[in-house]
């Protein structure tokens, strides 16, 4: 799998329609030094979720797999295509420094 990041102007010249990066964020909870910190005051929640939002569905696919599916949804080429997709939120797993990425149709 490869990911090509270029300007929107250059992407318009390519064979396939682009998925534009509309927003990106990364965050970590307090005292988060390892993948999961067991030394938190409150073990009933994950403060990382409040930093980024999203992660409503989970299939244990991290990183590039989520981004690749988001691009397919934006382009209309997914095997499980949703109707009228204009924006897609991709989030990383919780319990680690986490991130969110919003891709949009042109």
């Amino acid at each position: 799998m490869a990911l090509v990041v270029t300007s929107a102007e250059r992407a318009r010249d390519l064979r396939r329609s682009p998925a534009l990066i509309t927003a990106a964020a990364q965050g970590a909870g307090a005292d988060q030094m390892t993948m999961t910190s067991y030394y938190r005051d409150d073990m009933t929640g994950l403060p990382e979720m409040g930093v980024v939002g999203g992660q409503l569905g989970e299939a244990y696919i991290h990183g590039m797999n989520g981004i690749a599916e988001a691009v397919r949804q934006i382009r209309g080429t997914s095997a499980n295509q949703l109707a009228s997709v204009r924006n897609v939120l991709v989030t990383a797993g919780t319990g680690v420094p986490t991130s969110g990425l919003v891709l949009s149709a042109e």
Side-chain angles (χ1 to χ4, degrees):
M1 177 182 313
L3 176 68
V4 176
V5 178
T6 189
S7 68
E9 292 78 25
R10 173 68 180 104
R12 288 185 190 106
D13 295 334
L14 300 175
R15 290 183 312 160
R16 294 190 179 186
S17 58
L20 303 177
I21 299 172
T22 306
Q26 183 177 8
D31 296 325
Q32 189 170 9
M33 295 149 214
T34 61
M35 293 212 35
T36 300
S37 174
Y38 297 103
Y39 302 103
R40 296 182 181 180
D41 293 334
D42 183 7
M43 287 297 295
T44 62
L46 295 168
E48 296 81 10
M49 293 302 291
V51 176
V52 178
Q55 194 63 18
L56 298 177
E58 205 285 318
Y60 207 76
I61 55 173
H62 295 138
M64 294 301 295
N65 292 325
I67 295 171
E69 177 58 18
V71 170
R72 289 183 199 109
Q73 289 289 337
I74 292 290
R75 289 180 173 166
T77 60
S78 175
N80 298 304
Q81 186 65 45
L82 300 172
S84 304
V85 175
R86 300 285 306 152
N87 301 291
V88 177
L89 171 65
V90 180
T91 60
T94 57
V96 298
T98 192
S99 61
L101 178 68
V102 176
L103 298 178
S104 301
E106 191 169 35

